[in-house]
Amino acid sequence: MIPKKHIIDRFISYVTIDTESDPNSDTTPSSEKQWDLANKLVEELKSIGLEDVTIDENAYIMATLPSNVVHDVPTIGFISHFDTTPDFTGANVNPQIIENYDGKDITLNKEKNIILSPDYFEDLKLYKGQTLITTDGTTLLGADDKAGIAEIISAMEYLIQHPEMKHGKIRVGFTPDEEIGRGAHKFDVDKFGAEWAYTMDGSQIGELEYENFNAAGAVVTVKGKIVHPGYAKGKMINSMYIAQDFINSLPRLETPEHTSDREGFFHLHNISGDVEETTLQYIIRDHNKEHFEARKEVMIKLTEELNTQYGKNTITIDIKDQYYNMREKVEPVMHIVDIAEDAMRELGITPIIKPIRGGTDGSQLSYKGLPCPNIFAGGHNFHGRYEYVPVESMIKAVEVIVKITELTAKR
């Protein structure tokens, strides 16, 4: 459909621009450097021939491919985000292209002895003989979600170049700050004007998802007292030890490394502190809404119990909901999932319909009135040095986008 080199070059031009978001910032976008890619995307959308290309004061990008049929067709959209996670550095990304992957270990960084091995990452075995794009072992890659952006733009370019492909009006949207849970916060659904959309933000080829976690973030602050350690008896209160009690009091096996499928978890992702004050940052996740609420209550009750032991207000907790399970909003319009599933099957792709162990912009957008299932973008091992994406999966994602527009125009 599209030349392999074309989508490789497009993708690499995106991932070599640092767009790491910043959870400690109150601005949108949360980091100034996200504008670098956002402005580039605006110019690229214009250059391929899309209409109504706009970028607002918060870096939300929208564009239109007009309908080329005379009958009424629902307006649909495709959405991806251009920020990368703050969990691992996305600066100075140096992609490596592995042609005709032989199914063996890939040396990402010889000097540091960083190996991407199918013995540990078994999904690699699915892509023997294909072209892989990997990191150099020192950064993430950014396929989450710059692969999705490359796929959407490539699909729109293909449709413009092939007017014989019949489709209705298509809207394109690119967002900042998805990785810190704010990607859809300032997304103008009315301005976007689609009846439904798809986020191109999934992982391996075939993924099609319309369930995700209910999500919250929790900041636990523990107060202590510092005095000279030589005279500390009965006076010093070490906040780090109390924080350790809090950590150990949560269910040890209800963490990401011990859960799968629809099992929820508590995830401690950051600790900072000293004797006087320690801060714990958690995320709380569960597909079941009742279990989600119960998890928040567990943390609140634990705070109260430890304050009884250590003194009032020794520990404070601030919990904020981030997004909810989109299933409730998608199930009444399941035909939009059916179209995506049919598109995959017609292209010889086996749909993998499963819950997302995470979230996408689509979860928040669905609650804002834009039902938004999630489709694979092709990458694996997101948010770390072992991230990679098969180019053939990206090309298939482009084909799925085009096929969805075709099937929508026929219904």
Side-chain angles (χ1 to χ4, degrees), residues 103-394:
K104 300 178 182 178
D105 286 358
I106 299 171
T107 300
L108 299 179
N109 192 300
K110 185 175 182 180
E111 180 183 349
K112 299 179 182 294
N113 193 33
I114 300 172
I115 307 296
L116 177 61
S117 175
D119 292 336
Y120 193 85
F121 299 106
E122 294 184 355
D123 287 335
L124 274 167
K125 299 172 184 177
L126 299 171
Y127 305 111
K128 186 176 180 180
Q130 297 190 22
T131 299
L132 306 183
I133 304 177
T134 74
T135 75
D136 68 357
T138 63
T139 71
L140 52 69
L141 179 62
D144 180 12
D145 191 25
K146 293 168 185 177
I149 293 174
E151 291 153 7
I152 292 171
I153 292 181
S154 296
M156 296 303 105
E157 185 176 42
Y158 180 85
L159 289 170
I160 290 168
Q161 294 174 351
H162 294 82
E164 72 278 7
M165 303 292 296
K166 300 305 178 184
H167 57 81
K169 182 179 177 180
I170 303 168
R171 291 284 277 162
V172 168
F174 299 139
T175 68
D177 293 339
E178 188 270 355
E179 294 291 359
I180 56 174
R182 305 181 205 160
H185 282 191
K186 297 181 180 180
F187 189 99
D188 190 335
V189 168
D190 291 336
K191 177 184 175 183
F192 195 61
E195 291 191 29
W196 72 84
Y198 302 92
T199 49
M200 302 300 297
D201 194 16
S203 183
Q204 78 178 77
I205 186 169
E207 284 190 2
L208 173 58
E209 301 148 326
Y210 62 94
E211 298 180 61
N212 60 275
F213 280 135
N214 296 290
V219 178
V220 179
T221 304
V222 185
K223 297 291 187 179
K225 290 183 179 179
I226 180 70
V227 296
H228 189 290
Y231 306 94
K233 185 174 182 179
K235 297 181 177 64
M236 179 185 287
I237 299 174
N238 192 322
S239 72
M240 292 180 285
Y241 291 144
I242 301 173
Q244 185 176 1
D245 283 350
F246 188 97
I247 295 167
N248 291 338
S249 296
L250 289 173
R252 182 63 187 89
L253 297 182
E254 294 183 22
T255 57
E257 62 270 33
H258 294 104
T259 53
S260 61
D261 299 323
R262 288 181 173 81
E263 296 171 332
F265 58 74
F266 304 94
H267 176 44
L268 175 63
H269 63 90
N270 187 276
I271 302 176
S272 60
D274 51 28
V275 172
E276 280 203 310
E277 183 173 298
T278 297
T279 300
L280 310 175
Q281 296 186 41
Y282 281 89
I283 61 173
I284 306 163
R285 300 290 188 264
D286 211 297
H287 283 90
N288 182 288
K289 189 65 180 293
E290 291 183 2
H291 294 173
F292 173 62
E293 297 298 334
R295 288 185 183 282
K296 292 188 288 183
E297 188 63 24
V298 164
M299 297 189 79
I300 292 169
K301 291 292 187 184
L302 176 58
T303 299
E304 294 172 352
E305 290 170 6
L306 290 176
N307 278 336
T308 300
Q309 178 179 348
Y310 290 108
K312 186 177 180 181
N313 296 327
T314 299
I315 304 175
T316 57
I317 185 168
D318 181 25
I319 300 177
K320 293 181 179 178
D321 287 358
Q322 296 168 325
Y323 52 82
Y324 303 108
N325 192 339
M326 74 171 93
R327 177 173 180 167
E328 178 183 333
K329 301 300 181 180
V330 174
E331 281 190 330
V333 288
M334 277 297 289
H335 66 280
I336 71 178
V337 177
D338 296 339
I339 291 171
E341 184 176 358
D342 291 346
M344 291 186 192
R345 293 193 186 281
E346 288 197 22
L347 294 167
I349 300 168
T350 301
I352 304 171
I353 301 176
K354 61 183 184 64
I356 308 170
R357 285 187 63 78
T360 71
D361 280 338
S363 58
Q364 295 184 51
L365 292 172
S366 293
Y367 278 86
K368 294 180 74 170
L370 181 66
C372 206
N374 190 47
I375 294 174
F376 71 91
H380 288 263
N381 304 338
F382 294 150
H383 296 193
R385 69 178 81 246
Y386 299 105
E387 186 181 4
Y388 70 92
V389 61
V391 176
E392 287 80 358
S393 295
M394 294 176 66

Side-chain angles (χ1 to χ4, degrees), residues 1-3 154-155 158 161-162 165 347 395 398-400 402-403:
M1 171 182 271
I2 60 172
S154 296
Y158 180 85
Q161 294 174 351
H162 294 82
M165 303 292 296
L347 294 167
I395 292 172
V398 174
E399 294 176 1
V400 168
V402 171
K403 182 61 70 172

Side-chain angles (χ1 to χ4, degrees), residues 8-19:
I8 290 174
D9 290 346
R10 172 168 278 151
F11 175 68
I12 288 177
S13 75
Y14 301 159
V15 300
T16 50
I17 300 173
D18 180 12
T19 57

Side-chain angles (χ1 to χ4, degrees), residues 10 41-53 63-66 153 156-161:
R10 172 168 278 151
L41 294 174
V42 168
E43 295 308 311
E44 190 168 358
L45 292 170
K46 291 177 180 177
S47 71
I48 68 170
L50 290 184
E51 300 181 5
D52 303 323
V53 180
T64 301
L65 179 61
I153 292 181
M156 296 303 105
E157 185 176 42
Y158 180 85
L159 289 170
I160 290 168
Q161 294 174 351

